[in-house]
Amino acid sequence: RITDVSRTYQRLKYTIAPLMFESDEALTKVEDLWDAIEAVLVAVAELHELGIFHNDIRWPNVMFDPLATWKLVDFDHASVGPGSLAHWARLNPQIRDTFQDTSSAMSDLYAVGCLVDKLPSSQVETPPALAAFAASLKDMTHDNAKDAVAALQQAREEDRTMGCD
């Protein structure tokens, strides 16, 4: 398993994405902001499942490609942990307490929350539902990235039904 994670990490770290746009050029409407935050959270959830922690989530590392997809890039500060948060939850409490390295996972979620506060463009106004969701990430309300993705999707749906989107 560690070998697979290590190989995956190396592929991610050296992936080259030509023709990417910086996030300030691509964030032109509220829907773009929701899409960007969701894409970053989905990427974080997938990384955490592999035991990989990005450790440098900020707007310069969120790019937009010509296929209209958001990408999380720059894995220079990424770390490979012994497994996902789900793996830690299954561990014997004594082992879990000895090797508590879940701070990278929580710091990734906190950093996603900070993205909403530090928009690279003033063209987009943050919807209240997204601001509340970002605050919940920074308050460390969510145990893992998968739960955070579900909570974001729920907040986005509530925002749509209120007509704010």
Side-chain angles (χ1 to χ4, degrees):
R1 171 117 165 101
I2 294 295
T3 304
D4 292 341
V5 169
S6 194
R7 239 183 272 128
T8 302
Y9 169 70
Q10 291 303 319
R11 271 198 312 260
L12 290 169
K13 185 175 179 180
Y14 295 107
T15 298
I16 298 173
L19 300 173
M20 299 283 262
F21 299 102
E22 293 196 13
S23 45
D24 61 340
E25 298 173 41
L27 284 173
T28 58
K29 56 188 185 290
V30 171
E31 193 65 28
D32 296 335
L33 179 56
W34 281 107
D35 289 344
I37 299 298
E38 185 171 354
V40 170
L41 266 179
V42 167
V44 167
E46 290 173 4
L47 290 169
H48 288 185
E49 280 295 312
L50 294 170
I52 300 170
F53 308 104
H54 190 275
N55 299 319
D56 192 23
I57 298 172
R58 51 197 181 89
W59 282 114
N61 294 336
V62 178
M63 304 292 281
F64 189 73
D65 72 18
L67 300 175
T69 55
W70 292 93
K71 306 285 185 201
L72 182 60
V73 299
D74 188 2
F75 287 80
D76 289 344
H77 298 290
S79 60
V80 179
S84 69
L85 292 178
H87 172 72
W88 281 110
R90 290 190 299 268
L91 286 177
N92 171 316
Q94 183 181 3
I95 296 171
R96 184 181 63 230
D97 293 342
T98 305
F99 299 100
Q100 285 226 329
D101 186 26
T102 59
S103 60
S104 290
M106 296 308 283
S107 86
D108 276 355
L109 292 177
Y110 184 90
V112 174
C114 290
L115 288 177
V116 176
D117 293 337
K118 298 177 181 174
L119 292 177
S121 168
S122 60
Q123 296 178 29
V124 178
E125 189 172 323
T126 305
L130 184 55
F133 172 76
S136 75
L137 287 177
K138 293 188 294 182
D139 290 341
M140 301 190 184
T141 303
H142 306 284
D143 293 332
N144 60 61
K146 274 189 169 181
D147 289 348
V149 170
L152 174 71
Q153 291 168 340
Q154 182 178 353
R156 189 175 193 174
E157 189 57 38
E158 289 170 7
D159 191 56
R160 280 188 184 127
T161 59
M162 293 175 64
C164 296
D165 191 19

